[in-house]
Amino acid sequence: GENVEQHPSTLSVQEGDSAVIKCTYSDSASNYFPWYKQELGKRPQLIIDIRSNVGEKKDQRIAVTLNKTAKHFSLHITETQPEDSAVYFCAASPGGTSYGKLTFGQGTILTVHP
Amino acid sequence: DAGVIQSPRHEVTEMGQEVTLRCKPISGHNSLFWYRQTMMRGLELLIYFNNNVPIDDSGMPEDRFSAKMPNASFSTLKIQPSEPRDSAVYFCASSQAPGGGNTEAFFGQGTRLTVV
């Protein structure tokens, strides 16, 4: 089955700096890669996703890049703010009728210091 | 829409008791997923349904766990008998298959289960 590795496990940055989280996956059949943000005690919420026919996608301060050949994808957050502090999860899915069949990475605890 | 609704939000039970977790997916979604979150194992997919039919239950840890989806608006996850190692947050999520537009998986608020 699919295996997703996520690094780093913790990330501490100053407000205004950029943050980068990286993930690798093992199953070449995966073609949908969402990123979820989870605040303490709350549900995971999608912040951005990318499909395998796209190499990069951007939404305001958040961007995701995908390298299917190398089987890795990354989340980039620019101009970080204290409210960006949360746990971030990458995931991979085979798509098709199974977009929600997600294999998650271990999570990255992001702390943005004011 | 109120989103994915799970009940109860918190459950404390004694080892050996039966536990039933409930989920109402977003109206119109035809895929439903049960996930478990623990510190040790992170977020794991337990089982998922398409159009009320179980498609993949390979993540169900053992026979003590069972899930049903009798109709498009309701699903249950049952643990019988429960054990302390089942303590976790259980999330239900729903999504709409391609062709129906949005493919994002929306998560419910979760049920925090504690087995003592």
Side-chain angles (χ1 to χ4, degrees), chain B residues 85-103:
Chain B
R85 59 195 168 117
D86 301 330
S87 298
V89 179
Y90 291 81
F91 287 103
C92 176
S94 71
S95 71
Q96 204 172 21
N102 196 336
T103 54

Side-chain angles (χ1 to χ4, degrees), chain A residues 6-8 11 18-24 33-38 45-50 55-59 61-66 72-78 80 84 86-91 108 110:
Chain A
Q6 182 173 345
H7 299 280
L11 181 58
S18 295
V20 179
I21 303 171
K22 298 182 179 182
C23 291
T24 60
F33 307 93
W35 286 87
Y36 282 82
K37 175 183 180 181
Q38 187 177 29
Q45 292 192 288
L46 182 76
I47 55 171
I48 195 167
D49 57 15
I50 192 167
E56 183 173 356
K57 183 177 179 181
K58 191 172 182 179
D59 182 3
R61 297 186 296 109
I62 296 173
V64 58
T65 58
L66 171 65
H72 65 72
F73 56 113
S74 301
L75 177 71
H76 304 252
I77 306 174
T78 59
T80 53
D84 294 330
V87 182
Y88 291 80
F89 292 94
C90 63
T108 296
L110 173 64

Side-chain angles (χ1 to χ4, degrees), chain B residues 29-45:
Chain B
H29 282 190
N30 55 13
S31 298
L32 183 140
F33 307 83
W34 283 100
Y35 286 89
R36 178 172 68 175
Q37 186 173 34
T38 61
M39 287 296 294
M40 291 298 295
R41 300 177 65 88
L43 274 160
E44 310 172 90
L45 177 66

